[in-house]
Amino acid sequence: EVDASRRHDIMRNHTATHLLHKALHTVLSDQAKQAGSLVAPTHLRFDFNHPEAMTPEQIERVEKMVNEAIAADMPVHKETKSLDEAKKEGAMALFGEKYGETVRTISILDSNVSDVGAKYSYELCGGTHLERTSDIGAFLIVSEGSVAANVRRIEAVTGRGAYDLIAKRFKTLKQTAGALKASLEEVPAKAESLQDEISDLKKELANLRAQQALSTFNLQLSNIQT
């Protein structure tokens, strides 16, 4: 018996990997090709070719682009066709992967383009997928790092996993605001102000210690019998 809830979580993460792949091509370059992936009920992991770490701005752009594609409520079409036909149509295939004469394609249709059937994403894939991108719910990047030379890895969550992460982070933010006696919006400025205050106190303490050491030295020097 299929666990429908678990399967749906996997579908969310799998369809999200196709949107992530598209976003990486747009933000980085077409050279940011998939080099491996994991689609689990709890999260997704996506490896891709790239020579350096992504900047915070690039990560933010990718995350925003995926969420915009989710909100666009684009239909996801699954078709079976010959490998030659799929390649002629521009379907993306994984390097080094072996395919038979007949393949399954996943096309996410771009509802923002006037051309009927215009594809937002088009890949060869045999996995399970959603019917529409909006069913993903939300997409959050948890981490980005290196796994090998010229290979980066993004880990992310969608759907219920994204909601749980948002709730956890919001709870932490509220607790921090409470400790700082500030509103949620004031937390960054309050934290920065406290860091500046701590830095000033450290300098003041260092000066006091230096003065104390000098005073102790002068006292001992005055007690030396000549």
Side-chain angles (χ1 to χ4, degrees):
E1 184 178 341
V2 175
D3 184 333
S5 180
R6 179 180 182 277
R7 182 179 178 85
H8 212 106
D9 287 337
I10 292 173
M11 293 164 70
R12 288 190 180 99
N13 285 325
H14 202 167
T15 301
T17 62
H18 287 225
L19 298 179
L20 174 58
H21 204 181
K22 168 69 175 181
L24 289 170
H25 281 186
T26 303
V27 174
L28 301 178
S29 75
D30 289 344
Q31 299 305 311
K33 295 180 180 179
Q34 182 177 344
S37 68
L38 169 71
V39 179
T42 54
H43 68 289
L44 66 90
R45 189 175 71 206
F46 192 83
D47 297 346
F48 59 99
N49 301 115
H50 193 58
E52 57 190 10
M54 293 176 65
T55 65
E57 292 75 19
Q58 288 173 332
I59 294 173
E60 186 177 344
R61 286 176 60 197
V62 166
E63 188 176 77
K64 181 180 180 181
M65 186 173 174
V66 173
N67 280 300
E68 286 176 345
I70 292 170
D73 188 32
M74 294 184 283
V76 181
H77 285 189
K78 305 98 175 176
E79 292 183 283
T80 301
K81 58 186 63 179
S82 71
L83 179 60
D84 288 339
E85 182 182 0
K87 285 184 174 180
K88 287 178 181 178
E89 292 175 348
M92 189 181 302
L94 297 183
F95 177 76
E97 191 80 9
K98 293 183 178 180
Y99 298 98
E101 293 183 3
T102 302
V103 294
R104 183 168 178 263
T105 63
I106 301 296
S107 56
I108 299 175
L109 302 185
D110 196 338
S111 54
N112 293 321
V113 177
S114 58
D115 294 340
V116 177
K119 294 179 176 62
Y120 181 87
S121 169
Y122 190 33
E123 299 188 33
L124 302 184
C125 182
T128 182
H129 283 272
L130 301 169
E131 295 298 323
R132 304 191 73 87
T133 60
S134 58
D135 200 12
I136 296 172
F139 173 87
L140 292 177
I141 293 177
V142 178
S143 65
E144 188 274 346
S146 173
V147 289
N150 297 319
V151 178
R152 309 295 300 179
R153 171 174 292 172
I154 282 179
E155 295 200 11
V157 289
T158 66
R160 291 185 296 176
Y163 172 81
D164 290 342
L165 182 59
I166 291 170
K168 181 180 178 181
R169 288 179 173 176
F170 191 58
K171 182 179 180 180
T172 300
L173 179 59
K174 288 194 291 186
Q175 290 173 338
T176 303
L180 294 174
K181 294 181 173 57
S183 67
L184 298 182
E185 293 75 13
E186 293 171 338
V187 167
K190 187 74 172 180
E192 187 176 350
S193 176
L194 285 175
Q195 285 183 322
D196 291 340
E197 186 177 339
I198 290 171
S199 179
D200 291 340
L201 288 173
K202 284 182 176 179
K203 290 178 182 178
E204 185 177 341
L205 180 59
N207 289 332
L208 288 173
R209 284 175 174 171
Q211 291 175 16
Q212 184 181 29
L214 180 60
S215 177
T216 301
F217 174 77
N218 289 331
L219 179 61
Q220 291 175 344
L221 186 63
S222 65
N223 291 331
I224 294 176
Q225 296 181 354
T226 58

